[in-house]
PDB file of all heavy atoms in Angstrom:
ATOM      1  N   PHE A 321      14.533  -3.882  -0.046  1.00  0.00           N
ATOM      2  CA  PHE A 321      14.258  -3.898  -1.476  1.00  0.00           C
ATOM      3  C   PHE A 321      14.429  -2.506  -2.074  1.00  0.00           C
ATOM      4  O   PHE A 321      15.021  -2.344  -3.148  1.00  0.00           O
ATOM      5  CB  PHE A 321      12.829  -4.399  -1.728  1.00  0.00           C
ATOM      6  CG  PHE A 321      12.649  -5.864  -1.469  1.00  0.00           C
ATOM      7  CD1 PHE A 321      11.392  -6.400  -1.258  1.00  0.00           C
ATOM      8  CD2 PHE A 321      13.731  -6.720  -1.421  1.00  0.00           C
ATOM      9  CE1 PHE A 321      11.219  -7.746  -1.018  1.00  0.00           C
ATOM     10  CE2 PHE A 321      13.581  -8.068  -1.182  1.00  0.00           C
ATOM     11  CZ  PHE A 321      12.314  -8.592  -0.980  1.00  0.00           C
ATOM     12  N   LEU A 381       7.158  -2.051 -12.843  1.00  0.00           N
ATOM     13  CA  LEU A 381       6.277  -3.221 -12.833  1.00  0.00           C
ATOM     14  C   LEU A 381       7.032  -4.474 -12.418  1.00  0.00           C
ATOM     15  O   LEU A 381       6.476  -5.346 -11.734  1.00  0.00           O
ATOM     16  CB  LEU A 381       5.655  -3.411 -14.224  1.00  0.00           C
ATOM     17  CG  LEU A 381       4.784  -2.257 -14.733  1.00  0.00           C
ATOM     18  CD1 LEU A 381       4.204  -2.590 -16.087  1.00  0.00           C
ATOM     19  CD2 LEU A 381       3.674  -1.940 -13.735  1.00  0.00           C
ATOM     20  N   VAL A 382       8.300  -4.567 -12.818  1.00  0.00           N
ATOM     21  CA  VAL A 382       9.125  -5.707 -12.380  1.00  0.00           C
ATOM     22  C   VAL A 382       9.322  -5.665 -10.873  1.00  0.00           C
ATOM     23  O   VAL A 382       9.282  -6.709 -10.199  1.00  0.00           O
ATOM     24  CB  VAL A 382      10.476  -5.694 -13.119  1.00  0.00           C
ATOM     25  CG1 VAL A 382      11.378  -6.820 -12.629  1.00  0.00           C
ATOM     26  CG2 VAL A 382      10.271  -5.811 -14.620  1.00  0.00           C
ATOM     27  N   VAL A 383       9.506  -4.478 -10.333  1.00  0.00           N
ATOM     28  CA  VAL A 383       9.681  -4.350  -8.879  1.00  0.00           C
ATOM     29  C   VAL A 383       8.417  -4.785  -8.147  1.00  0.00           C
ATOM     30  O   VAL A 383       8.479  -5.506  -7.144  1.00  0.00           O
ATOM     31  CB  VAL A 383      10.049  -2.896  -8.522  1.00  0.00           C
ATOM     32  CG1 VAL A 383      10.091  -2.708  -7.007  1.00  0.00           C
ATOM     33  CG2 VAL A 383      11.386  -2.525  -9.130  1.00  0.00           C
ATOM     34  N   PHE A 384       7.256  -4.372  -8.640  1.00  0.00           N
ATOM     35  CA  PHE A 384       6.005  -4.787  -8.001  1.00  0.00           C
ATOM     36  C   PHE A 384       5.790  -6.294  -8.132  1.00  0.00           C
ATOM     37  O   PHE A 384       5.236  -6.928  -7.229  1.00  0.00           O
ATOM     38  CB  PHE A 384       4.833  -4.030  -8.640  1.00  0.00           C
ATOM     39  CG  PHE A 384       4.855  -2.555  -8.392  1.00  0.00           C
ATOM     40  CD1 PHE A 384       4.283  -1.658  -9.287  1.00  0.00           C
ATOM     41  CD2 PHE A 384       5.470  -2.032  -7.256  1.00  0.00           C
ATOM     42  CE1 PHE A 384       4.309  -0.299  -9.053  1.00  0.00           C
ATOM     43  CE2 PHE A 384       5.508  -0.675  -7.011  1.00  0.00           C
ATOM     44  CZ  PHE A 384       4.929   0.198  -7.913  1.00  0.00           C
ATOM     45  N   GLU A 385       6.232  -6.873  -9.233  1.00  0.00           N
ATOM     46  CA  GLU A 385       6.134  -8.328  -9.386  1.00  0.00           C
ATOM     47  C   GLU A 385       7.015  -9.049  -8.374  1.00  0.00           C
ATOM     48  O   GLU A 385       6.607 -10.044  -7.769  1.00  0.00           O
ATOM     49  CB  GLU A 385       6.539  -8.721 -10.805  1.00  0.00           C
ATOM     50  CG  GLU A 385       6.498 -10.218 -11.067  1.00  0.00           C
ATOM     51  CD  GLU A 385       7.031 -10.576 -12.432  1.00  0.00           C
ATOM     52  OE1 GLU A 385       7.410  -9.665 -13.186  1.00  0.00           O
ATOM     53  OE2 GLU A 385       7.089 -11.792 -12.747  1.00  0.00           O
ATOM     54  N   VAL A 386       8.225  -8.522  -8.177  1.00  0.00           N
ATOM     55  CA  VAL A 386       9.145  -9.157  -7.226  1.00  0.00           C
ATOM     56  C   VAL A 386       8.617  -9.031  -5.799  1.00  0.00           C
ATOM     57  O   VAL A 386       8.683 -10.001  -5.020  1.00  0.00           O
ATOM     58  CB  VAL A 386      10.550  -8.526  -7.351  1.00  0.00           C
ATOM     59  CG1 VAL A 386      11.473  -9.023  -6.241  1.00  0.00           C
ATOM     60  CG2 VAL A 386      11.150  -8.842  -8.711  1.00  0.00           C
ATOM     61  N   ILE A 387       8.090  -7.869  -5.440  1.00  0.00           N
ATOM     62  CA  ILE A 387       7.576  -7.699  -4.077  1.00  0.00           C
ATOM     63  C   ILE A 387       6.367  -8.589  -3.839  1.00  0.00           C
ATOM     64  O   ILE A 387       6.132  -9.078  -2.717  1.00  0.00           O
ATOM     65  CB  ILE A 387       7.247  -6.212  -3.809  1.00  0.00           C
ATOM     66  CG1 ILE A 387       7.044  -5.968  -2.300  1.00  0.00           C
ATOM     67  CG2 ILE A 387       6.034  -5.768  -4.562  1.00  0.00           C
ATOM     68  CD1 ILE A 387       8.258  -6.131  -1.477  1.00  0.00           C
ATOM     69  N   THR A 388       5.577  -8.863  -4.886  1.00  0.00           N
ATOM     70  CA  THR A 388       4.441  -9.774  -4.742  1.00  0.00           C
ATOM     71  C   THR A 388       4.919 -11.205  -4.573  1.00  0.00           C
ATOM     72  O   THR A 388       4.401 -11.954  -3.727  1.00  0.00           O
ATOM     73  CB  THR A 388       3.521  -9.653  -5.965  1.00  0.00           C
ATOM     74  OG1 THR A 388       3.113  -8.288  -6.120  1.00  0.00           O
ATOM     75  CG2 THR A 388       2.292 -10.524  -5.801  1.00  0.00           C
ATOM     76  N   GLU A 389       5.917 -11.610  -5.363  1.00  0.00           N
ATOM     77  CA  GLU A 389       6.456 -12.961  -5.232  1.00  0.00           C
ATOM     78  C   GLU A 389       7.168 -13.162  -3.904  1.00  0.00           C
ATOM     79  O   GLU A 389       7.290 -14.299  -3.432  1.00  0.00           O
ATOM     80  CB  GLU A 389       7.413 -13.256  -6.379  1.00  0.00           C
ATOM     81  CG  GLU A 389       6.756 -13.354  -7.744  1.00  0.00           C
ATOM     82  CD  GLU A 389       7.748 -13.706  -8.831  1.00  0.00           C
ATOM     83  OE1 GLU A 389       8.928 -13.972  -8.501  1.00  0.00           O
ATOM     84  OE2 GLU A 389       7.358 -13.718 -10.009  1.00  0.00           O
ATOM     85  N   SER A 390       7.653 -12.067  -3.308  1.00  0.00           N
ATOM     86  CA  SER A 390       8.377 -12.205  -2.047  1.00  0.00           C
ATOM     87  C   SER A 390       7.484 -12.720  -0.921  1.00  0.00           C
ATOM     88  O   SER A 390       7.984 -13.309   0.043  1.00  0.00           O
ATOM     89  CB  SER A 390       8.999 -10.866  -1.648  1.00  0.00           C
ATOM     90  OG  SER A 390       7.993  -9.911  -1.312  1.00  0.00           O
ATOM     91  N   PHE A 391       6.171 -12.514  -1.029  1.00  0.00           N
ATOM     92  CA  PHE A 391       5.278 -13.035   0.002  1.00  0.00           C
ATOM     93  C   PHE A 391       5.163 -14.553  -0.062  1.00  0.00           C
ATOM     94  O   PHE A 391       4.725 -15.185   0.901  1.00  0.00           O
ATOM     95  CB  PHE A 391       3.885 -12.411  -0.134  1.00  0.00           C
ATOM     96  CG  PHE A 391       3.829 -10.966   0.276  1.00  0.00           C
ATOM     97  CD1 PHE A 391       3.841  -9.963  -0.680  1.00  0.00           C
ATOM     98  CD2 PHE A 391       3.778 -10.614   1.607  1.00  0.00           C
ATOM     99  CE1 PHE A 391       3.791  -8.630  -0.310  1.00  0.00           C
ATOM    100  CE2 PHE A 391       3.730  -9.280   1.998  1.00  0.00           C
ATOM    101  CZ  PHE A 391       3.735  -8.296   1.026  1.00  0.00           C
ATOM    102  N   LEU A 487      17.918  -8.015  -6.907  1.00  0.00           N
ATOM    103  CA  LEU A 487      16.652  -7.836  -6.190  1.00  0.00           C
ATOM    104  C   LEU A 487      15.900  -9.159  -6.088  1.00  0.00           C
ATOM    105  O   LEU A 487      15.322  -9.478  -5.046  1.00  0.00           O
ATOM    106  CB  LEU A 487      15.803  -6.784  -6.905  1.00  0.00           C
ATOM    107  CG  LEU A 487      14.509  -6.356  -6.194  1.00  0.00           C
ATOM    108  CD1 LEU A 487      14.833  -5.658  -4.879  1.00  0.00           C
ATOM    109  CD2 LEU A 487      13.688  -5.442  -7.096  1.00  0.00           C
ATOM    110  N   ARG A 488      15.909  -9.942  -7.160  1.00  0.00           N
ATOM    111  CA  ARG A 488      15.268 -11.260  -7.117  1.00  0.00           C
ATOM    112  C   ARG A 488      16.007 -12.218  -6.172  1.00  0.00           C
ATOM    113  O   ARG A 488      15.390 -13.055  -5.504  1.00  0.00           O
ATOM    114  CB  ARG A 488      15.172 -11.850  -8.519  1.00  0.00           C
ATOM    115  CG  ARG A 488      14.163 -11.135  -9.415  1.00  0.00           C
ATOM    116  CD  ARG A 488      14.016 -11.839 -10.757  1.00  0.00           C
ATOM    117  NE  ARG A 488      13.025 -11.192 -11.596  1.00  0.00           N
ATOM    118  CZ  ARG A 488      11.728 -11.457 -11.523  1.00  0.00           C
ATOM    119  NH1 ARG A 488      11.270 -12.384 -10.687  1.00  0.00           N
ATOM    120  NH2 ARG A 488      10.872 -10.828 -12.312  1.00  0.00           N
ATOM    121  N   ALA A 491      14.911 -11.443  -2.751  1.00  0.00           N
ATOM    122  CA  ALA A 491      13.573 -11.970  -2.477  1.00  0.00           C
ATOM    123  C   ALA A 491      13.496 -13.469  -2.670  1.00  0.00           C
ATOM    124  O   ALA A 491      12.437 -14.059  -2.439  1.00  0.00           O
ATOM    125  CB  ALA A 491      12.559 -11.285  -3.391  1.00  0.00           C
ATOM    126  N   ALA A 493      13.231 -14.950  -5.371  1.00  0.00           N
ATOM    127  CA  ALA A 493      12.189 -15.185  -6.361  1.00  0.00           C
ATOM    128  C   ALA A 493      12.802 -15.859  -7.583  1.00  0.00           C
ATOM    129  O   ALA A 493      14.016 -15.893  -7.760  1.00  0.00           O
ATOM    130  CB  ALA A 493      11.516 -13.870  -6.771  1.00  0.00           C
TER     131      ALA A 493
END
Side-chain angles (χ1 to χ4, degrees):
F321 289 161
L381 299 182
V382 177
V383 174
F384 294 152
E385 179 186 359
V386 172
I387 194 67
T388 304
E389 292 182 5
S390 68
F391 288 101
L487 187 65
R488 290 185 178 275

